[in-house]
């Protein structure tokens, strides 16, 4: 009996030793992988009660445009003649107002604003006095003799100059862009808004400090046709801030 048990144990150990060997990994080809996948899909579909068709061979579509045109017929749409009739647009006799862009002067007839004031009162900056100096026509403007700017072809500059004086004992900081103030000049039957330049002495975009007891020379530049600037005796200047327009008294 002991001998039989010993033989049994030896056989078990031998079988166990043979079964613990390293298995070789077999790499499947693409065709074999597809075959296994199709077989698995077919097997699963047999037990899928919600799938009526079961296993279906898939054919790669080489020309989707042809297949689509054959399978899905295009239904011809008949247009209703009454739907294409356009409602006639009533013509209006009201004139369309155009805003000036700072370069192209336009001939306008505008209603006079109800209020007029000097530039000093219009700004309302305590201790800062604006005094009109002159208005001249220029084919170009030079700042300090080292920087020149020229208007667009066919235009000249109307340059209006002011002396701005700080009458107090303290410096006054001025920041025109933050106020939203704009200027418009009218001459020779045309009007235009001021150019916004990079000049340090451009009043329309001036941002700086006027020191106590000093005077700064600031200018406004407008572009006009030369024929509109032949007579500046009727020159008008307006300051616009929000909905308020003020005639500036020289």
């Amino acid at each position: 009996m002991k001998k039989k048990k010993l033989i049994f144990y030896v056989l078990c150990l031998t079988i166990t030793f043979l079964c613990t060997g390293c298995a070789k990994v077999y790499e499947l080809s693409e065709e074999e992988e597809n075959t296994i996948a199709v077989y698995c899909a077919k097997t699963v579909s047999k037990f899928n009660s919600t799938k009526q068709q079961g296993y279906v061979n898939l054919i790669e579509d080489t020309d989707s445009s042809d297949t689509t045109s054959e399978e899905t017929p295009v239904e011809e749409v008949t247009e209703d003649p009454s739907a294409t009739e356009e409602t006639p647009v009533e013509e209006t006799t009201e004139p369309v107002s155009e805003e000036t862009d700072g370069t192209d002067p336009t001939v306008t007839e505008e209603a006079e604003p109800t209020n007029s004031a000097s530039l000093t009162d219009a700004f309302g900056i305590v201790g800062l006095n604006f005094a009109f100096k002159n208005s001249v026509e220029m084919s170009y403007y030079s700042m300090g003799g080292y920087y020149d700017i020229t208007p667009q072809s066919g235009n000249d500059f109307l340059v209006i100059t002011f002396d701005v004086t700080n009458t107090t004992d303290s410096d006054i900081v001025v920041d025109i862009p933050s106020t939203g103030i704009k200027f418009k000049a009218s001459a020779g039957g045309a009007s235009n808004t001021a150019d916004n330049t990079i000049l340090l002495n451009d009043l329309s975009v001036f941002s700086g400090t006027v020191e106590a007891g000093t005077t700064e020379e600031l200018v406004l530049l407008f572009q006009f046709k030369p024929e509109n600037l032949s007579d500046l005796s009727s020159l008008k200047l307006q300051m616009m801030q929000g909905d308020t327009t003020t005639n500036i008294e020289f």
Side-chain angles (χ1 to χ4, degrees):
M1 180 65 64
K2 292 182 179 180
K3 186 176 181 180
K4 290 182 179 180
K5 289 183 178 180
L6 179 61
I7 294 174
F8 175 75
Y9 290 145
V10 170
L11 289 176
C12 290
L13 290 174
T14 302
I15 293 173
T16 303
F17 177 77
L18 293 175
C19 292
T20 57
C22 297
K24 181 180 180 181
V25 179
Y26 182 77
E27 296 183 0
L28 298 177
S29 64
E30 183 177 358
E31 183 179 357
E32 290 173 334
E33 291 178 352
N34 292 336
T35 302
I36 294 174
V38 171
Y39 176 78
C40 293
K42 181 178 180 180
T43 303
V44 172
S45 65
K46 291 180 179 180
F47 302 96
N48 187 357
S49 59
T50 61
K51 185 175 181 65
Q52 297 179 356
Q53 287 183 317
Y55 169 68
V56 178
N57 286 324
L58 299 180
I59 302 176
E60 184 178 0
D61 186 6
T62 57
D63 191 352
S64 59
S65 60
D66 294 342
T67 305
T68 303
S69 61
E70 292 178 0
E71 294 180 354
T72 307
V74 179
E75 183 179 355
E76 184 178 353
V77 179
T78 303
E79 297 184 355
D80 184 1
S82 61
T84 60
E85 294 181 0
E86 298 182 355
T87 304
V89 179
E90 296 183 0
E91 297 183 357
T92 177
T93 57
E94 296 181 359
V96 179
S97 60
E98 297 181 357
E99 295 184 357
T100 55
D101 58 1
T103 57
D104 185 16
T106 57
V107 178
T108 57
E109 294 182 1
E110 300 179 352
E112 293 291 331
T114 57
N115 56 324
S116 298
S118 65
L119 193 57
T120 300
D121 294 336
F123 270 112
I125 303 175
V126 177
L128 213 58
N129 182 70
F130 293 81
F132 171 74
K133 188 174 183 179
N134 57 39
S135 58
V136 294
E137 177 186 0
M138 293 183 176
S139 57
Y140 69 94
Y141 181 80
S142 178
M143 184 183 71
Y146 59 86
Y147 184 77
D148 295 340
I149 60 174
T150 56
Q152 289 186 357
S153 177
N155 290 345
D156 279 350
F157 277 134
L158 166 63
V159 183
I160 304 178
T161 306
F162 293 91
D163 284 334
V164 184
T165 304
N166 182 351
T167 60
T168 69
D169 296 331
S170 303
D171 295 345
I172 298 177
V173 177
V174 181
D175 186 14
I176 301 300
S178 66
T179 64
I181 290 175
K182 296 181 181 180
F183 294 93
K184 177 185 287 186
S186 300
S191 63
N192 205 0
T193 54
D195 281 8
N196 293 332
T197 71
I198 61 173
L199 297 174
L200 298 178
N201 63 334
D202 186 346
L203 176 59
S204 63
V205 292
F206 181 76
S207 181
T209 301
V210 181
E211 297 179 355
T214 62
T215 298
E216 297 279 350
E217 184 180 270
L218 302 180
V219 298
L220 292 171
L221 274 66
F222 303 86
Q223 292 193 39
F224 284 94
K225 301 295 183 183
E227 55 267 26
N228 298 126
L229 301 177
S230 58
D231 182 12
L232 296 180
S233 60
S234 60
L235 174 64
K236 294 181 181 180
L237 179 65
Q238 296 176 343
M239 188 178 83
M240 300 169 292
Q241 186 175 21
D243 297 331
T244 303
T245 301
T246 304
N247 253 353
I248 302 301
E249 299 173 352
F250 294 114

